[in-house]
Amino acid sequence: MASNKAARDGEKIWKTNVDKINAELVTLTYGTMVAQLCSDFNHKYGEVNKQLDKMGYNIGMRLIEDFFAKSGVQRCGNFRETAETISKIGFKMFLNITPTVSNWSADHKSFSLIFDENPLADFVELPNDGRAQDELWFSNILCGILRGALEMVQMQIEAHYVSDILRGNDTTEMRITLLRYMEDEMPPDDE
């Protein structure tokens, strides 16, 4: 039931509260950035993945404020609610997609997002160098965005791709694991 409400809320926010830009422009700009990173790091795809994650983390730390301001969503009560909010409101609001939440772990601290579509990967062909298919996670910036955004609401997570259609897999799947809830920590020497 909460899942259906989140889906309705996500659709409403997408239609009324979000400034939209041309999806092809975003796709092509992102693709150009990834290509430049590949060139800058001499096609060391592990390093490119780290840079994409780092960039996403910094974006996520700021994007969460925009999310709360435009969505009106209140703090989630548990990790399952967080997953539904990410899928049905967050992704809908910023990318106009709704990945499926599935594959919950028994302890409810880990789940998968299954992407039927990924606008960042439109028009993309990975380099045919025999390594990119096995090493590059083209949309890794999304993992970093989730890490940064959730850290700002005191959830430390790990996010990584398990499969990607660009790599020849049947689906694109991101795995998210809750590592811990963070305490509000005061900086040293702050009273």
Side-chain angles (χ1 to χ4, degrees), residues 116-153:
D116 293 328
E117 55 185 320
N118 178 357
L120 295 181
D122 288 347
F123 317 117
V124 173
E125 290 182 26
L126 295 180
N128 191 12
D129 62 3
R131 293 183 14 255
Q133 294 280 336
D134 296 325
E135 298 173 21
L136 179 64
W137 294 107
F138 185 82
S139 300
N140 212 45
I141 198 166
L142 296 177
C143 293
I145 289 171
L146 290 180
R147 273 192 330 105
L150 291 177
E151 188 169 299
M152 296 306 291
V153 292

Side-chain angles (χ1 to χ4, degrees), residues 75-84 86 104-105 107-111 147 149-158 176-185:
R75 189 177 192 102
C76 296
N78 57 48
F79 198 51
R80 183 174 287 276
E81 191 177 326
T82 300
E84 292 296 329
I86 290 168
W104 278 97
S105 62
D107 62 1
H108 299 284
K109 291 187 177 185
S110 187
F111 66 92
R147 273 192 330 105
L150 291 177
E151 188 169 299
M152 296 306 291
V153 292
Q154 280 69 44
M155 285 185 231
Q156 184 179 18
I157 64 150
E158 176 185 284
I176 294 106
T177 302
L178 175 65
L179 302 177
R180 69 183 179 105
Y181 288 102
M182 300 162 41
E183 300 294 323
D184 286 331
E185 299 170 2

Side-chain angles (χ1 to χ4, degrees), residues 78-95:
N78 57 48
F79 198 51
R80 183 174 287 276
E81 191 177 326
T82 300
E84 292 296 329
T85 300
I86 290 168
S87 169
K88 296 185 174 53
I89 300 175
F91 274 101
K92 183 67 177 182
M93 192 170 147
F94 292 109
L95 292 175

Side-chain angles (χ1 to χ4, degrees), residues 19-104:
D19 296 328
K20 296 165 188 71
I21 62 171
N22 185 300
E24 289 178 0
L25 176 64
V26 172
T27 300
L28 296 173
T29 302
Y30 181 75
T32 301
M33 182 188 69
V34 174
Q36 186 63 51
L37 284 172
C38 290
S39 176
D40 289 350
F41 289 98
N42 297 315
H43 300 278
K44 294 178 182 161
Y45 299 119
E47 192 58 38
V48 172
N49 293 336
K50 287 180 192 173
Q51 290 299 316
L52 289 170
D53 183 79
K54 184 177 176 181
M55 293 167 72
Y57 177 82
N58 290 324
I59 292 168
M61 290 178 71
R62 288 157 183 81
L63 200 63
I64 191 74
E65 294 174 17
D66 195 40
F67 171 78
F68 282 125
K70 291 184 178 173
S71 71
V73 170
Q74 300 299 311
R75 189 177 192 102
C76 296
N78 57 48
F79 198 51
R80 183 174 287 276
E81 191 177 326
T82 300
E84 292 296 329
T85 300
I86 290 168
S87 169
K88 296 185 174 53
I89 300 175
F91 274 101
K92 183 67 177 182
M93 192 170 147
F94 292 109
L95 292 175
N96 194 25
I97 60 172
T98 307
T100 304
V101 177
S102 65
N103 303 328
W104 278 97

